[in-house]
Amino acid sequence: MNAGSRTDWFLIRHAPVQGQEARYYGQLDVAAEPVSPVVAAGLSRLLPPVAVWMSSPLSRTRATVLALKLGADPIAIQDFTEQNFGLWQGRGHNEVYAANKGFDWNNPAKIRPPEGESFADLTARIANAMERLTAHYAGHSIVAVTHAGVIRSAIGFALGLDPGTALRIDIAPLSLTRLTCRIVNGEPVWSLGCVNYEVVV
């Protein structure tokens, strides 16, 4: 990245999903609910007119992109897929807890589901992706429609938070989080513009 360059990230969580209340749906490709045109218009007004658009490969993020920007063709970023809950995917939170009471639920960021990844694993994946993509698209504005865990991880990366702290950040469906990276004395310096901003209708 060039000295003085500024890269702005506009991170949006996808629209609510259907029929997955209190379940670990993670990397399952479940459908998103339709986005209200009023909410879409309000959220779109907060976004830059010229930007690089990205999403995860899952259909709920791409559908949300199309609701915000008709005809958009977002770059699918594999690393921006939600946390992999492994054998827990599709199972209810209470069911998983009842079957795994021996885990340290006071430190959920470190719990790794069978055949999946922990939230701490996810934060490492997202830190690498944010560094790589910020360098590649230095000086641009980036709109990324992705998942709650990914956005929590990106905030944690930008602010130097430990995974356990980042996991406690609320990220609502269709909320906006803005991060900015500036180069100061040859080093990237991150700042947080807003987090979990929701359009009220």
Side-chain angles (χ1 to χ4, degrees):
M1 295 175 64
N2 297 326
S5 70
R6 167 178 171 151
T7 307
D8 291 305
W9 283 86
F10 297 78
L11 298 159
I12 299 169
R13 185 183 176 189
H14 59 78
V17 299
Q18 302 169 347
Q20 297 296 320
E21 293 78 9
R23 291 186 177 275
Y24 291 97
Y25 56 93
Q27 296 190 355
L28 296 178
D29 200 10
V30 296
E33 297 176 2
V35 179
S36 159
V38 176
V39 172
L43 193 50
S44 296
R45 283 194 291 270
L46 302 173
L47 304 177
V50 178
V52 178
W53 282 74
M54 301 176 182
S55 71
S56 84
L58 299 181
S59 62
R60 60 186 180 268
T61 61
R62 183 174 176 84
T64 303
V65 168
L66 295 176
L68 298 176
K69 187 175 177 65
L70 187 64
D73 186 18
I75 302 166
I77 305 296
Q78 184 67 40
D79 280 336
F80 281 174
T81 310
E82 181 60 287
Q83 181 179 345
N84 181 0
F85 290 104
L87 298 182
W88 294 357
Q89 292 188 152
R91 297 175 64 187
H93 295 170
N94 290 339
E95 175 193 357
V96 167
Y97 175 74
N100 296 277
K101 289 185 177 179
F103 287 167
D104 184 5
W105 291 98
N106 291 320
N107 295 290
K110 296 182 179 180
I111 294 176
R112 182 177 293 117
E115 300 182 21
E117 62 182 344
S118 67
F119 183 75
D121 295 331
L122 174 64
T123 62
R125 165 157 61 90
I126 298 307
N128 289 334
M130 292 294 290
E131 287 182 340
R132 183 182 74 250
L133 293 167
T134 300
H136 186 77
Y137 293 102
H140 291 78
S141 293
I142 303 167
V143 177
V145 179
T146 181
H147 308 269
V150 173
I151 297 172
R152 291 185 183 105
S153 298
I155 296 168
F157 160 73
L159 299 184
L161 305 178
D162 64 87
T165 300
L167 186 57
R168 303 205 311 264
I169 300 172
D170 283 335
I171 302 294
L174 295 173
S175 65
L176 171 67
T177 294
R178 186 164 55 83
L179 300 171
T180 296
C181 180
R182 298 176 177 86
I183 300 302
V184 179
N185 297 325
E187 297 294 329
V189 176
W190 286 85
S191 59
L192 175 67
C194 67
V195 60
N196 199 37
Y197 180 88
E198 297 181 73
V199 173
V200 179
V201 297

